[in-house]
Amino acid sequence: MLLSTYHKPLLLLITVPALISLGIGLMPFATLPLEEMLQGSSYSQFISIQTTDQARSLLSVIATGAITTLSLTYSIVLLVFTLAAGNIGPRLLRRFSSDLVNQITAGLFGGTFLYSIIALYSIDSDFVPNGTISGAVILAALSVFQLIYFVRHVAETITIDDEIAKISKNLQQNLSELADQTRANQGLPSQNETSKTTTYKAHRTGYIGDINLKLLIEWAHKNDAIIHFTCAHGTFVHKGDDIAKVDMHANTDTDLDCEGLSGFIEIDDVRSEAGTIQFEINLLIEIALRALSPSVSDTFTAIACVNSLSAAFAVMARENIHISTQADHNGDIRLVLHGLSLRQLFGQAYHPIRRAATNNILMAQGLAHSLKRLSHIDNDDLCDLVAKHSQLLIDQIEHYKPLAADIESVKELLPSRQSPKDHNCDQ
C-alpha cells in the first residue's frame, strides 16, 4: 500500500487544487491560437482593450489578487484545522482536509493566477488577446463568488453541532447497512467437526482496514471454504496475530494457502474511517469527553453526543445486530464477519462519559434522559444495560454528596427498574 489512510486526504488537499489550477492555467494555450487566427475579423468581445498597458495592468491586478486570496484561503484552512483539533477532535482533520469546497476554492484561485500570468506573457505590441483577457475577468468574478461561499462554508464547518450531526448520520448509515446484511443472511453456518481449519495471521502490525468482501467471497467459493473473522474492522493487531479462521471440508486433499488473503485485507498504520462503526462511536465519545474537560466545560455539546450515541444503540437493539454473514452466488455462506457487541460498545461509551461528568448534575440529567429513552426498546440485553448504568449513575452522584434535591432530579429522569423478561425496562 503506497499511501496510508491518514495521508490520503492530506494528499488530496494538495493534488486536487493543483490539478484544477493546472487545468485552468493551460486554457490560454487553447484560446490564444484561436484569437490569432481570428485577428482582424469582426467578432463580439466581452472586453475590448486597445493598448497593451491597459491589458497588462488589468491582468496584473487579477493575478495579484488571486495569489493574495489563495494565501488567505490556506491561512483560513490552517486556522480551521487548529480550531478543529483543539475544540472538536484531531481525528476530524482528515475530514476537513478532504473537503471538496476547500479544494475547489484553492484550485480556482491558483488557476486564475496561472491563467493571468500566461495571458500577461502573451501580450505584445502587435497583439492584445481581448478574448483571453475576458476569460481572466470572468475567472476573477467567479473567484469572488467562490470566496463568499467559502467563508460561509468554513463558518459551518467549525460549528460543533453540525459536525456531531454529520458523524451521527454516517453512523446511522453504517448501522443500516449492517442491519440489512443481518436480515439478508439470518443464521450461522453449521460447524463441521470433521473440517480442516487454517488460521490467517496478520502480515504486519497496524489496524485492520478495508476488507474486499467481493474478492474474499470469490476466493472462498473457489476453494470451497468458509472464512470466520475473529477481529472486527478497525481492530489493532500485531504481526502474526490471528485475524481469521478458514474452514474447509475434511475430504479436501490440498491445504489452503491463506497468504493470498493479504491482498484482500488491508492493514493500515491508522484506523480507517470508511465503514467503521466503532470509529464513529469513538469520535462521539472523544468530542463528549473533550467538551466535559475543565478547559472546555461545554456540557450541552456532551449531551448532544450522548443523544447521538443513544440513537445508535437504539438501532443496534431494535435490529439485533450481532453478526453478519455473506453468501456466494449459489447461496452458500462463505464469510462470517465479526459481530458488534452491544454490551461492549454501550460500556465503552457510557462508562467514560459518566466518569467525566463528576459533580455535573446537568450532564447526569442528560445521561438519565438517554437511558430513559433506551428503556422503551424491546431488547433483554439493553434492559440489563440500562438498569446497570442507571444504578452506576446514581452511585456516582451519591458518592460526591451533592444536594438531595439534585440527586432526586436525576432519579426522576431515570427509568424504573423491571425484570428483563417483561421486555420493557420502564414501568
Side-chain angles (χ1 to χ4, degrees):
M1 188 170 54
L2 297 178
L3 293 170
S4 67
T5 305
Y6 181 77
H7 292 101
K8 289 178 182 178
L10 296 179
L11 182 63
L12 288 176
L13 187 60
I14 300 174
T15 57
V16 173
L19 292 175
I20 296 175
S21 300
L22 185 61
I24 296 175
L26 293 178
M27 288 173 58
F29 291 105
T31 60
L32 288 171
L34 182 61
E35 283 198 79
E36 291 178 354
M37 292 174 56
L38 297 176
Q39 188 176 8
S41 62
S42 59
Y43 63 96
S44 60
Q45 297 175 346
F46 177 68
I47 291 179
S48 180
I49 299 178
Q50 303 300 326
T51 64
T52 57
D53 291 339
Q54 291 178 344
R56 289 193 178 98
S57 177
L58 179 60
L59 290 174
S60 298
V61 169
I62 295 176
T64 302
I67 195 63
T68 302
T69 313
L70 177 61
S71 62
L72 175 64
T73 300
Y74 272 107
S75 299
I76 294 176
V77 171
L78 292 176
L79 177 61
V80 170
F81 282 6
T82 303
L83 292 175
N87 297 335
I88 303 178
R91 289 171 182 81
L92 287 174
L93 293 183
R94 280 176 285 179
R95 182 171 299 161
F96 294 143
S97 61
S98 59
D99 187 85
L100 186 60
V101 174
N102 298 342
Q103 296 170 357
I104 293 177
T105 303
L108 180 59
F109 292 148
T112 302
F113 171 76
L114 293 177
Y115 183 101
S116 301
I117 291 296
I118 296 174
L120 183 63
Y121 178 77
S122 66
I123 296 176
D124 54 38
S125 57
D126 299 328
F127 176 58
V128 177
N130 284 300
T132 302
I133 295 174
S134 301
V137 173
I138 294 174
L139 286 173
L142 291 176
S143 298
V144 171
F145 292 122
Q146 182 64 24
L147 178 61
I148 295 173
Y149 179 76
F150 169 75
V151 173
R152 175 180 176 273
H153 177 75
V154 167
E156 294 178 349
T157 300
I158 59 177
T159 304
I160 193 167
D161 288 336
D162 291 338
E163 287 304 315
I164 293 174
K166 292 177 183 177
I167 297 171
S168 180
K169 182 179 179 181
N170 291 337
L171 177 58
Q172 293 290 336
Q173 290 177 348
N174 290 332
L175 286 173
S176 298
E177 293 176 0
L178 186 57
D180 292 339
Q181 294 175 358
T182 304
R183 286 192 295 267
N185 301 282
Q186 294 292 337
L188 293 174
S190 58
Q191 299 291 333
N192 189 352
E193 296 180 356
T194 61
S195 64
K196 295 181 180 179
T197 300
T198 304
T199 302
Y200 171 69
K201 300 181 181 296
H203 57 277
R204 61 181 294 243
T205 299
Y207 294 90
I208 298 178
D210 292 335
I211 300 174
N212 195 322
L213 300 180
K214 182 179 178 181
L215 294 180
L216 278 176
I217 292 174
E218 293 177 357
W219 184 91
H221 173 76
K222 179 180 178 181
N223 294 278
D224 194 17
I226 301 175
I227 303 175
H228 298 259
F229 278 90
T230 57
C231 298
H233 186 282
T235 302
F236 183 81
V237 294
H238 290 278
K239 182 178 181 180
D241 288 350
D242 293 345
I243 292 181
K245 294 181 179 180
V246 183
D247 292 339
M248 56 184 299
H249 292 296
N251 55 5
T252 305
D253 296 332
T254 59
D255 294 330
L256 286 178
D257 182 13
C258 292
E259 294 300 325
L261 296 178
S262 59
F264 312 140
I265 305 172
E266 293 186 3
I267 298 181
D268 302 325
D269 294 330
V270 296
R271 184 175 294 175
S272 173
E273 179 179 356
T276 307
I277 293 174
Q278 296 96 324
F279 185 88
E280 304 290 346
I281 290 177
N282 289 335
L283 274 181
L284 292 173
I285 297 172
E286 181 180 1
I287 295 174
L289 295 179
R290 191 178 296 270
L292 292 173
S293 64
S295 60
V296 179
S297 187
D298 185 1
T299 303
F300 289 102
T301 294
I303 292 176
C305 293
V306 170
N307 292 337
S308 296
L309 287 168
S310 65
F313 296 140
V315 173
M316 294 183 65
R318 289 193 185 99
E319 302 295 342
N320 198 25
I321 298 176
H322 291 291
I323 198 164
S324 177
T325 58
Q326 297 287 328
D328 59 16
H329 59 277
N330 293 330
D332 298 326
I333 293 177
R334 295 301 180 186
L335 293 182
V336 180
L337 303 178
H338 192 275
L340 298 173
S341 170
L342 176 62
R343 184 174 297 274
Q344 181 182 4
L345 292 177
F346 199 96
Q348 180 181 339
Y350 274 85
H351 282 310
I353 295 177
R354 173 179 51 78
R355 297 185 189 113
T358 302
N359 288 331
N360 190 332
I361 297 299
L362 180 60
M363 188 64 221
Q365 291 173 342
L367 289 169
H369 266 301
S370 66
L371 293 172
K372 178 76 171 182
R373 289 191 295 268
L374 292 173
S375 67
H376 298 290
I377 298 176
D378 183 5
N379 186 286
D380 290 347
D381 292 336
L382 186 60
C383 284
D384 289 337
L385 291 172
V386 168
K388 173 184 176 182
H389 285 269
S390 297
Q391 186 60 48
L392 286 173
L393 181 60
I394 293 299
D395 292 343
Q396 177 170 302
I397 295 174
E398 293 177 344
H399 176 73
Y400 291 96
K401 298 179 180 180
L403 295 176
D406 291 337
I407 298 177
E408 189 62 27
S409 67
V410 176
K411 288 183 177 181
E412 290 175 353
L413 298 174
L414 286 170
S416 300
R417 282 178 290 180
Q418 188 177 357
S419 174
K421 295 180 180 180
D422 295 328
H423 300 294
N424 194 320
C425 308
D426 191 25
Q427 289 181 341

